[in-house]
Amino acid sequence: MIVVAGEALIDLVVTPEGQRAVPGGSPANVAVTLARLDQPVRLLARLGPDEYGQQIAEHLAANQVDLRWAVRAPEPTSVAVATLDVTGQASYEFRLDGAADWQWTAQELADLADSSATALHTGSLALALDPGAQVLEGLLARERERDALTLSIDLNLRPSIVTDRAAEQQRVRRQVPLAHLVKASDEDLAWLYPDRSIADVMAEWREAGVSCAVVTRGGDGAWLLAPNGVLHEQPAVPTTVVDTVGAGDSFTGGLLAALADIDALGDRPTDRLAAVTEQQWTKVLRQAATVAALTCARRGANPPTRAELQALLAAPR
């Protein structure tokens, strides 16, 4: 079972035709992707008591995301206003003050040692907005010390919300060594480190103790730096882009699902990831890119099922 921790919010999607409220949030989207790829997944989230919170809970339950560790919080649901341009690219404005997602207390977290979990994934705003970010960072630190789960972080930075670049550099420098797998986009790194190359940043993460560093590059595909130092390149999978909402999250879910399929998640995580072969890394990266491509071909954060993924992977290239 993979545990995902972080925000589950409402994307208020604005298009020329009007607006619609759909469940979203990077960690929640990752959890839905994993569930649709037939991976047992449990979400650590704080869900508001309002209609938006109920809509999120129903969406997650309908997608077979286990909510037994979700907290029914008294605070309102976070809202992200997603505006799509003519190419389908999304830009976001967030309404987060006093919202449920960022109010974690240590007492609300389940004891992962007493579960069948093989991995813990978190990131995005959940690791950036206090006080909850401090609680989740503490969870990562404890689990890194216990060495019984594969720990995964997706930076998924939001410069429109957390605007202090120097403070974000310090936070990322502190949190990255807690994970075995770290994923970011080229846009994340261009904002965070405007004077550094992607290759330099990935190498630094590896030196800090990260086993696997992954950077998505939009239409240019993705890079994966394996534990042995080999850089794998995956071209973008051809698709007709409807919009990019949830594309990065579905890539992360596809990546984790592929690693779970080859038993690369679990105890002794560094050893497990080091045992993944070059051919397996190539397949893992291709699966992640294919899941993202299928999501881009649909409206909203709507990742594919395992059957849909396998059909495209089996198609002649």
Side-chain angles (χ1 to χ4, degrees):
M1 176 183 71
I2 298 173
V3 177
V4 179
E7 65 263 29
L9 48 75
I10 283 291
D11 282 330
L12 195 61
V13 182
V14 180
T15 67
E17 293 76 35
Q19 64 182 35
R20 64 187 189 278
V22 295
S26 176
N29 289 341
V30 172
V32 169
T33 303
L34 286 164
R36 290 190 181 181
L37 297 176
D38 295 339
Q39 297 295 334
V41 58
R42 190 171 294 175
L43 184 64
L44 273 168
R46 301 183 88 255
L47 303 179
D50 46 28
E51 290 185 9
Y52 281 161
Q54 184 61 33
Q55 182 182 353
I56 292 167
E58 291 173 356
H59 168 72
L60 293 168
N63 280 282
Q64 309 304 312
V65 175
D66 188 333
L67 295 177
R68 74 186 70 185
W69 286 350
V71 175
R72 303 295 171 159
E75 300 89 0
T77 300
S78 305
V79 176
V81 181
T83 302
L84 304 182
D85 64 18
V86 293
T87 69
Q89 187 76 27
S91 59
Y92 292 89
E93 173 193 348
F94 293 85
R95 302 170 185 173
L96 310 178
D97 289 347
D101 293 290
W102 331 114
Q103 314 304 324
W104 282 106
T105 65
Q107 293 72 29
E108 291 174 327
L109 296 177
D111 185 356
L112 301 188
D114 293 335
S115 73
S116 59
T118 57
L120 169 65
H121 171 77
T122 187
S124 194
L125 288 170
L127 281 183
L129 297 182
D130 290 329
Q134 297 179 43
V135 176
L136 293 181
E137 185 176 327
L139 175 64
L140 284 171
R142 289 192 299 275
E143 291 303 323
R144 181 78 191 213
E145 179 69 22
R146 196 165 67 90
D147 202 37
L149 301 175
T150 303
L151 304 177
S152 166
I153 289 176
D154 181 2
L155 296 192
N156 200 26
L157 303 179
R158 299 296 186 187
S160 63
I161 299 171
V162 186
T163 59
D164 188 334
R165 182 184 282 113
E168 282 292 85
Q169 289 173 346
Q170 184 178 19
R171 174 181 72 85
V172 169
R173 191 177 303 115
R174 187 179 66 247
Q175 292 176 350
V176 158
L178 301 177
H180 305 100
L181 189 157
V182 177
K183 179 238 174 189
S185 70
D186 55 355
E187 292 181 347
D188 290 334
L189 299 186
W191 179 81
L192 191 63
Y193 304 116
D195 300 323
R196 300 184 60 188
S197 71
I198 293 174
D200 284 346
V201 175
M202 296 174 81
E204 179 184 281
W205 289 351
R206 186 165 177 265
E207 291 173 3
V210 173
S211 295
C212 178
V214 183
V215 176
T216 55
R217 304 166 60 235
D220 293 326
W223 288 348
L224 184 152
L225 184 62
N228 63 358
V230 173
L231 182 67
H232 295 259
E233 290 192 56
Q234 168 64 49
V237 174
T239 189
T240 300
V241 176
V242 174
D243 66 48
T244 62
V245 177
D249 307 327
S250 62
F251 181 101
T252 301
L255 187 78
L256 291 172
L259 290 170
D261 285 340
I262 59 174
D263 199 29
L265 305 179
D267 61 343
R268 299 175 292 102
T270 301
D271 293 341
R272 284 179 183 267
L273 291 172
V276 177
T277 67
E278 297 303 301
Q279 184 179 25
Q280 286 174 322
W281 281 122
T282 298
K283 290 181 177 179
V284 164
L285 195 53
R286 182 172 177 238
Q287 171 166 311
T290 304
V291 172
L294 285 166
T295 303
C296 287
R298 302 170 172 179
R299 187 175 74 169
N302 185 13
T305 64
R306 177 176 285 270
E308 291 169 330
L309 170 65
Q310 289 177 336
L312 186 54
L313 288 174
R317 283 186 273 177

